[in-house]
Amino acid sequence: MSQVDSRLSTGLPGLDKMLKGLIPGDNIVWQVDCVEDFKSFLAPYYKSASERGRRVIYFRFANHAPLAEVDKDIEIIRPDFNAGFEKFVAEIHHMIGTAGRNAFFIFDCLTDLSEQWYSDRMLGNFFMLTCPYLFDSEAIAYFPIIRGKLSSDAISSIHNTAQVVIDLFRRNDMLYLHPLKVQQRYSPTMYVLHSWDGSRFEQVVDSATMSTVMTSVPWPNMQMSGDDLGVASRMFRKSQKILSAMNNGENPPADFEQHFDTLLKMVVTRDERLLEQARKYLNLSDVVQIMKRLIGTGLIGGKSAGMLIARAILRENDGKYRNLLEPHDSFYVGSDVFYTFVVRNGLWFGRQKQKVPETFLEGADETRRQMLTGGFPDTIVRQFSAMLDYYGQSPIIVRSSSLLEDNYENAFSGKYESVFCANQGSRDKRLRDFISAVLTIYASSMSENALTYRARRGLLDKDEQMPLLVQRVSGSLCSRHFYPQVAGVGYSYNPYVWDKRIDPDAGMLRLVLGLGTRAVERKDDDYSRVVALNAPDIRPESSFDKVRKHSQRKVDVIDLDSNQIVSVDFSEVANDFSDSHFALIAEKDIEAEQRFPGNADKGVSSAVLTFKKLLNETSFLGMMGEIMSTLQKAYGCAVDIEFTANFQENDDYRINLVQCRPLPIKGSENIKKPPTGISEERKLIEASGAVVGCNRMDSLDCIIYVAPDKYADLSIRDRYSVARLIGKLTHHERLHGLESIMLIGPGRWGSSIPSLGVPVAFNEIGKVSILGEIVAMNENIIPEVSLGTHFFNDLVENDILYFALFPEVAGNTLNESMITGFPNVLSELLPAASKFEGIMHVIITADNREKGAFKFAANAIEQKAVCYFEK
């Protein structure tokens, strides 16, 4: 294997560094929009070669202007392509042979050859013959080709044969280089976009610039060659033809509406309500662009459709958001790829077993394991590879986008996996990592969590295929860490109103620094910033001491060195920000600085993440409110969005809308106030200060109570046992048909840390209608209801009311003796659970309605809930 030769150079030290030098035999292909841009790199190339005593030969055969004028450093050879393919090749090969070893060559634009020969395939043949000949001569050669002018077959022949392939872009006055292939060399920044201003090369570190530059030129169709006569190819070519005609001012054909509707159902969605939105806001150009970036065929799924429709809705607003929104350059793995994977890996019949309600979990584990080791057809793998070449070494996220996901009826929040790929290493390594991510998501469709969700919502017999959405991770590279400066979740309707001054119709945000994983996943060891849009300064915490205590401390980032997501201390990334940007997200903790004066000298930040200036001194809050209001109006219901925001040099920002789906908030109308004047002896619970979601007045059928003090004395093992018992209770046949079950216990439900609460999975408590958390087990626990997290979305989607109870705070009451005064049916329902009778108390009130009933009334606006016994 040849080694990098320090005597060889492109003539540009920055380019040599980017490519890790040149190796004898390098054939370097430049993909450009015009040859004038390519000429900028020629003079340094041939002058450097001449200075080193190398022979420089320029093959001049095209119709475009000469790439280099007559120069003492260059020999110009004019082969005759009109003499026929064989003679043309023979003439060029003869010149290469007589030039001797280590010569430097320049070729005119190869695209002109395909036009002169009327054949892309012959151009591919020419390159496959000439490139190895140059390689054997240890020559260096530059070949320009015009992007988007050659067939996929010709491009494939060139890319597979060349040693180096570089994409060259021009945007405004700046040139950008993006190496797609560099053989036998590697560096952590080799495949990253670089800018060149004519004097120096700079690595592009922010996703906004990357996506803006990369989307400035059309992406060639992902899959369909000229020989492809399949249904999808025919529809794509017909659509391109219609679009081209319409762009030239022609009227659409008579069958255009039918054609467009068929196209939407083939690619975007068949869900009637989403289809209505797609018809209204997407246009033919949008769908053609989707098909160009579609791996395989089929539908793109709910998450992809939601993201694209939301962006199209915002586009309709007179370009107001054009400069605000970060462009997206997503790819899609079609639904047909999933079914093809299932069939070809022998998984079809195992998967069919999950459609039977009585036995839907049987065999699921085995099918899931088999999915993790499955393979894909070569055609699909090649498309995966082409997509990864496009992204280079930019981090990406692979997200589930199933057919039933993110529609008006079903959110599937957190039920299927999404996988971040740091996307580092060789091309083969990055491809293996990507395929592993795909298999992980496919396998998650067979998880107990996902199947139980489908069973609970009557979806087991529905067609549930798993398309995928592949997105560039939004953010910037700081040292070895890549992350967005702000990430979050937004609701256009705020179901968590902790103060009467908060307007629920104004909406809310849940903000974090770093990757949005801390915004959508419930973190027991950390907090996020929950913001009411109409009153950002009204916080659940009553003092700065509590703000400090309950602020975000950990930041999720992609560590490019270790090729994975890691959680780092906020202080570790604090120095990544300019002073002005840091001031937007953090406040100085004066008290901490006075208490620990030496921290500043050690570079340890005492700042607290509050996002105060961002919320109060920029347009960010108002703009997010406008975005969600616009989307809610178009969707006809409340919406749930995920987004990132990244600061620009002028302290402005760009927003990346990565997801949008309907949010089925219930109980926001016909608000009933809890009754007053209830005597204390009849009052079981009174809560004030944290009531979320569904306003209601219910008669309880069942109460499951976990005593905080007794639970705190349990071993870790027994705490997990309590969690499993609760799952068995809520799914017990005796409780089937009961409409109103209240579950109340210590700390955070669903905590992954048993010392902070009961570690139930959501599917174990999904049948509960009222969920109460008693803040009495650990003084560090606060009722952080995880607004915007997958756990909270499950509460909303299942119409579960949440409340927190503070026994030591005025306006809060828990009458434990009233609970224990009723018969405990735990052992009757689960005889093996008798040892937990002192910890868990189960009352089925539906059996004794003639003696009276427990009533539960809640009002989220008033932030009050009361449970009382009524004879």
Side-chain angles (χ1 to χ4, degrees):
M1 183 170 63
S2 300
Q3 300 295 320
V4 171
D5 189 336
S6 60
R7 296 170 297 174
L8 303 178
S9 174
T10 64
L12 295 167
L15 182 56
D16 290 341
K17 181 180 179 182
M18 185 193 310
L19 300 177
K20 297 290 286 185
L22 296 181
I23 294 176
D26 273 349
N27 290 271
I28 303 171
V29 174
W30 296 77
Q31 297 187 156
V32 301
D33 293 314
C34 67
V35 292
E36 288 300 314
D37 290 341
F38 168 67
K39 286 174 66 175
S40 305
F41 297 88
L42 273 183
Y45 167 73
Y46 68 73
K47 288 186 180 298
S48 171
S50 180
E51 288 170 1
R52 288 170 166 80
R54 300 302 175 99
R55 195 173 175 184
V56 180
I57 297 170
Y58 168 30
F59 289 116
R60 173 76 179 125
F61 49 78
N63 292 324
H64 59 67
L67 296 178
E69 302 299 335
V70 176
D71 190 298
K72 63 179 178 61
D73 297 324
I74 301 179
E75 301 173 48
I76 300 179
I77 306 298
R78 303 178 186 274
D80 183 9
F81 58 76
N82 290 316
F85 179 79
E86 283 192 42
K87 185 168 179 58
F88 181 80
V89 172
E91 190 174 348
I92 285 181
H93 285 199
H94 173 73
M95 192 64 226
I96 294 171
T98 59
R101 305 186 77 77
N102 307 126
F104 277 52
F105 293 90
I106 302 167
F107 286 74
D108 264 351
C109 182
L110 297 185
T111 311
D112 275 28
L113 285 179
S114 69
E115 294 172 356
Q116 295 295 333
W117 290 334
Y118 308 106
S119 172
D120 285 5
R121 193 177 295 279
M122 292 308 293
L123 170 59
N125 291 337
F126 165 75
F127 193 85
M128 291 174 69
L129 289 169
T130 304
C131 178
Y133 201 68
L134 288 161
F135 181 82
D136 290 340
S137 300
E138 295 188 341
I140 303 295
Y142 271 20
F143 299 88
I145 61 174
I146 301 297
R147 186 176 16 253
K149 295 293 186 180
L150 299 176
S151 69
S152 59
D153 286 338
I155 290 295
S156 178
S157 298
I158 292 170
H159 282 205
N160 290 339
T161 311
Q163 283 70 46
V164 179
V165 181
I166 300 173
D167 254 338
L168 179 64
F169 307 91
R170 176 179 289 279
R171 181 163 178 81
N172 300 325
D173 297 326
M174 188 75 75
L175 286 171
Y176 294 88
L177 289 82
H178 182 216
L180 300 178
K181 177 183 180 183
V182 185
Q183 199 165 280
Q184 297 182 7
R185 281 144 287 180
Y186 174 75
S187 78
T189 60
M190 182 173 284
Y191 299 104
V192 174
L193 190 70
H194 286 71
S195 64
W196 187 56
D197 61 5
S199 60
R200 64 176 187 168
F201 293 86
E202 293 280 351
Q203 179 183 343
V204 176
V205 297
D206 66 287
S207 61
T209 302
M210 293 177 199
S211 56
T212 298
V213 171
M214 299 295 282
T215 56
S216 64
V217 296
W219 170 254
N221 185 24
M222 172 59 80
Q223 56 181 320
M224 298 164 194
S225 69
D227 298 332
D228 192 340
L229 301 178
V231 173
S233 295
R234 295 199 305 272
M235 283 292 287
F236 174 74
R237 282 194 282 272
K238 180 178 179 180
S239 300
Q240 276 195 311
K241 185 176 180 180
I242 295 172
L243 182 61
S244 178
M246 291 171 65
N247 288 339
N248 290 328
E250 298 179 25
N251 291 325
D255 67 342
F256 174 73
E257 286 192 14
Q258 180 182 350
H259 172 80
F260 185 59
D261 210 55
T262 301
L263 205 60
L264 290 176
K265 292 176 181 177
M266 186 175 84
V267 177
V268 180
T269 183
R270 290 168 200 157
D271 178 89
E272 278 303 321
R273 295 185 71 181
L274 276 181
L275 192 59
E276 182 181 342
Q277 300 285 55
R279 292 186 185 111
K280 187 173 181 180
Y281 294 106
L282 296 181
N283 56 42
L284 181 60
S285 177
D286 294 327
V287 184
V288 167
Q289 291 306 312
I290 293 170
M291 296 181 78
K292 284 185 175 183
R293 305 176 83 90
L294 179 64
I295 294 173
T297 56
L299 293 162
I300 60 175
K303 190 173 272 112
S304 297
M307 181 269 291
L308 293 168
I309 290 170
R311 283 176 168 267
I313 290 168
L314 297 178
R315 180 183 62 196
E316 294 292 307
N317 284 262
D318 304 320
K320 179 177 182 180
Y321 304 106
R322 183 175 298 131
N323 295 325
L324 174 71
L325 290 179
E326 183 176 319
H328 86 93
D329 54 353
S330 308
F331 284 81
Y332 319 93
V333 180
S335 56
D336 294 353
V337 177
F338 176 71
Y339 266 174
T340 301
F341 171 86
V342 168
V343 171
R344 296 199 176 190
N345 287 281
L347 302 169
W348 179 265
F349 295 105
R351 192 169 175 270
Q352 291 300 297
K353 295 177 182 178
Q354 275 61 61
K355 294 186 177 294
V356 181
E358 293 76 21
T359 59
F360 69 91
L361 290 177
E362 290 182 10
D365 285 345
E366 178 59 28
T367 304
R368 186 168 67 252
R369 281 193 292 271
Q370 291 174 355
M371 280 185 160
L372 289 170
T373 59
F376 292 93
D378 289 344
T379 53
I380 297 300
V381 174
R382 285 196 293 270
Q383 291 176 58
F384 287 165
S385 186
M387 177 197 67
L388 292 175
D389 283 344
Y390 171 89
Y391 283 125
Q393 288 162 301
S394 295
I396 57 176
I397 180 171
V398 190
R399 312 185 74 187
S400 67
S401 182
S402 79
L403 298 191
L404 298 177
E405 196 171 356
D406 285 7
N407 61 28
Y408 280 87
E409 303 298 329
N410 310 289
F412 279 85
S413 298
K415 300 300 177 290
Y416 299 138
E417 294 283 353
S418 291
V419 181
F420 282 95
C421 293
N423 208 21
Q424 302 301 294
S426 66
R427 293 175 83 205
D428 288 343
K429 172 70 165 60
R430 288 184 281 126
L431 179 60
R432 289 196 303 272
D433 288 348
F434 175 77
I435 291 176
S436 176
V438 172
L439 296 178
T440 297
I441 297 170
Y442 279 5
S444 73
S445 69
M446 298 298 292
S447 71
E448 181 178 349
N449 197 18
L451 292 172
T452 300
Y453 178 91
R454 291 176 60 192
R456 189 168 64 244
R457 302 184 72 82
L459 302 173
L460 288 175
D461 62 340
K462 300 295 183 182
D463 186 19
E464 177 63 328
Q465 301 175 52
M466 184 59 76
L468 303 174
L469 170 62
V470 184
Q471 295 174 300
R472 184 189 299 275
V473 176
S474 176
S476 299
L477 178 63
C478 301
S479 183
R480 70 178 193 274
H481 295 149
F482 192 97
Y483 60 94
Q485 290 156 326
V486 179
V489 172
Y491 283 177
S492 63
Y493 179 87
N494 183 0
Y496 181 30
V497 181
W498 60 87
D499 188 286
K500 293 180 180 179
R501 293 168 291 176
I502 293 174
D503 178 9
D505 290 319
M508 58 73 58
L509 299 176
R510 177 183 173 90
L511 301 177
V512 296
L513 167 64
L515 299 174
T517 44
R518 288 189 172 261
V520 300
E521 296 172 6
R522 188 167 174 160
K523 298 291 183 179
D524 293 309
D525 61 342
D526 209 359
Y527 302 93
S528 58
R529 174 72 162 95
V530 178
V531 185
L533 262 64
N534 76 303
D537 290 329
I538 300 177
R539 300 188 55 141
E541 303 88 4
S542 57
S543 67
F544 191 78
D545 185 55
K546 290 185 178 180
V547 168
R548 180 197 306 117
K549 190 175 184 179
H550 301 128
S551 65
Q552 182 185 352
R553 296 182 180 86
K554 295 283 188 179
V555 182
D556 286 353
V557 300
I558 297 176
D559 187 322
L560 299 189
D561 286 354
S562 63
N563 205 23
Q564 63 183 342
I565 291 182
V566 297
S567 297
V568 300
D569 290 333
F570 168 48
S571 59
E572 190 173 333
V573 299
N575 292 328
D576 292 344
F577 295 82
S578 66
D579 290 344
S580 60
H581 290 169
F582 189 75
L584 291 173
I585 63 171
E587 291 183 70
K588 283 189 175 182
D589 187 342
I590 305 298
E591 182 182 333
E593 288 183 355
Q594 293 172 346
R595 192 183 307 166
F596 306 105
N599 279 352
D601 296 334
K602 299 175 185 176
V604 178
S605 174
S606 62
V608 178
L609 276 170
T610 63
F611 302 96
K612 185 173 182 178
K613 285 190 72 173
L614 176 67
L615 299 173
N616 290 288
E617 299 182 23
T618 73
S619 61
F620 175 77
L621 197 68
M623 194 58 70
M624 292 305 301
E626 288 184 31
I627 287 173
M628 290 193 290
S629 177
T630 300
L631 295 173
Q632 175 172 294
K633 183 177 180 181
Y635 268 79
C637 68
V639 294
D640 159 15
I641 66 170
E642 292 181 23
F643 63 91
T644 64
N646 294 288
F647 305 130
Q648 309 295 295
E649 289 183 1
N650 57 359
D651 289 352
D652 209 347
Y653 56 88
R654 300 287 292 276
I655 292 171
N656 192 347
L657 183 64
V658 298
Q659 181 175 317
C660 180
R661 60 185 168 203
L663 179 70
I665 295 290
K666 301 177 182 179
S668 56
E669 301 93 16
N670 303 319
I671 297 169
K672 301 174 183 178
K673 293 186 177 183
T676 58
I678 302 169
S679 61
E680 292 300 318
E681 62 268 17
R682 291 198 300 127
K683 197 181 294 181
L684 174 63
I685 292 169
E686 185 174 21
S688 178
V691 179
V692 182
C694 334
N695 302 292
R696 66 185 63 204
M697 180 81 75
D698 285 342
S699 292
L700 298 181
D701 295 321
C702 177
I703 298 173
I704 302 173
Y705 172 68
V706 180
D709 55 341
K710 304 286 179 45
Y711 179 81
D713 292 335
L714 292 177
S715 66
I716 296 296
R717 181 178 179 179
D718 280 346
R719 291 177 186 180
Y720 279 107
S721 296
V722 168
R724 302 295 82 79
L725 285 175
I726 288 171
K728 291 178 181 178
L729 280 170
T730 60
H731 290 81
H732 196 281
E733 61 180 12
R734 179 81 176 277
L735 273 61
H736 284 181
L738 299 187
E739 295 182 357
S740 187
I741 301 171
M742 180 172 72
L743 174 61
I744 181 168
R748 294 183 183 177
W749 288 107
S751 170
S752 59
I753 303 174
S755 61
L756 296 180
V758 185
V760 291
F762 189 82
N763 58 34
E764 292 176 308
I765 61 172
K767 294 188 175 184
V768 168
S769 53
I770 299 167
L771 187 67
E773 294 184 345
I774 306 170
V775 187
M777 192 179 121
N778 186 314
E779 64 177 6
N780 292 320
I781 295 176
I782 67 164
E784 208 261 350
V785 288
S786 308
L787 273 176
T789 65
H790 294 148
F791 184 88
F792 184 77
N793 281 357
D794 282 326
L795 299 184
V796 171
E797 192 173 27
N798 287 275
D799 195 18
I800 296 174
L801 182 130
Y802 165 93
F803 70 92
L805 186 67
F806 304 82
E808 306 301 321
V809 177
N812 289 262
T813 302
L814 172 62
N815 190 344
E816 188 178 57
S817 62
M818 181 180 285
I819 295 176
T820 57
F822 281 80
N824 186 357
V825 298
L826 174 64
S827 297
E828 179 184 336
L829 300 178
L830 301 172
S834 58
K835 75 176 227 179
F836 293 102
E837 278 200 338
I839 295 116
M840 299 174 62
H841 203 95
V842 182
I843 307 170
I844 299 182
T845 58
D847 295 342
N848 298 287
R849 281 283 162 79
E850 68 280 359
K851 297 180 180 179
F854 280 102
K855 300 284 188 176
F856 187 92
N859 184 298
I861 302 299
E862 297 289 332
Q863 286 293 280
K864 291 186 181 300
V866 61
C867 179
Y868 59 98
F869 189 74
E870 185 174 81
K871 292 185 178 181

